[in-house]
Amino acid sequence: MSSPRLIVGLGNPGSDYADNRHNVGFWFTDQLARRLQAPLLPQGKFLGRVARVGELWLLQPMTYMNLSGQAVAALARFYKIADHETLVVHDDLDLPPGSIRLKQGGGNGGHNGLKDIQARLGTADFWRLRLGIGHPGERAEVVNYVLKAPRREEQELLDGAIDRCLLAWPLLAAGDYAAAQRQLHLKTV
């Protein structure tokens, strides 16, 4: 298994969205960038905020969630990063707050950011780090729910999940996805 070369945190740009559940991918990449001492800086060519550490790229698309694939495809194609070397970190309505799932490929679960990435890359074979945010219970409430800040107790669970992902980072960075899955999938919520 090869190490990831591109970590993409999904979210929406701007202060109006900064604390929204939909931005949990941004929260993770912000924390990882701090840990790696690699500031995320605007990079127009890649339509996002970008950091580089050796062969590893961090990306926060600034295209808004529904067009995330534009930024991902631009950077991946320019640096010839393979699908299996890409890890997309995103919110997941189907998992309770604080839950984590790591997998390669699969569907998009109705997540518009994933849909656009799949369309622009022409594949679904990239890795996903799914961070659970819970579901509002009614389909009609989903948009309103993901574009709001989590309740305090949910925020604590999300922060804990991000901390657990950072603890698993050495395994992810080494491309040991099986060991990372064993560590991340432990029931802690």
Side-chain angles (χ1 to χ4, degrees):
M1 199 57 68
S2 62
S3 299
R5 293 181 53 213
L6 174 58
I7 309 294
V8 180
L10 295 187
N12 285 308
S15 58
D16 288 349
Y17 298 100
D19 65 352
N20 294 176
R21 291 177 178 97
H22 224 16
N23 276 35
V24 72
F26 276 13
W27 302 346
F28 172 79
T29 48
D30 284 337
Q31 293 288 333
L32 183 58
R34 272 194 282 282
R35 173 173 279 205
L36 298 175
Q37 298 178 345
L40 288 154
L41 302 171
Q43 179 69 258
K45 176 165 58 171
F46 301 126
L47 308 167
R49 294 176 64 223
V50 176
R52 183 176 186 180
V53 180
E55 292 296 310
L56 176 68
W57 291 91
L58 304 181
L59 170 65
Q60 291 179 336
M62 292 289 120
T63 53
Y64 290 93
M65 183 67 78
N66 295 357
L67 300 175
S68 297
Q70 290 179 347
V72 175
L75 195 147
R77 289 194 178 115
F78 189 84
Y79 289 106
K80 297 178 176 42
I81 297 172
D83 306 321
H84 67 275
E85 296 174 318
T86 301
L87 174 66
V88 177
V89 185
H90 65 91
D91 59 301
D92 195 307
L93 287 162
D94 296 328
L95 298 172
S99 294
I100 305 165
R101 289 293 174 265
L102 174 66
K103 72 174 198 164
Q104 184 179 21
N108 56 48
H111 193 290
N112 290 328
L114 290 178
K115 278 184 196 176
D116 195 59
I117 293 169
Q118 289 174 342
R120 307 254 180 192
L121 293 181
T123 183
D125 289 339
F126 50 90
W127 283 87
R128 300 101 185 279
L129 185 57
R130 302 164 51 210
L131 301 175
I133 60 168
H135 196 284
E138 303 222 7
R139 189 174 184 178
E141 289 299 312
V142 165
V143 171
N144 190 38
Y145 180 78
V146 300
L147 295 178
K148 283 228 166 39
R151 296 188 317 269
R152 192 187 58 187
E153 63 274 14
E154 292 172 338
Q155 186 67 58
E156 290 171 5
L157 293 170
L158 291 170
D159 291 343
I162 290 171
D163 289 345
R164 293 195 329 271
C165 291
L166 292 171
L167 286 172
W169 172 247
L171 297 171
L172 290 168
D176 192 346
Y177 291 102
Q181 284 172 321
R182 284 191 297 275
Q183 184 173 329
L184 292 170
H185 294 186
L186 290 173
K187 181 103 172 124
T188 57
V189 185

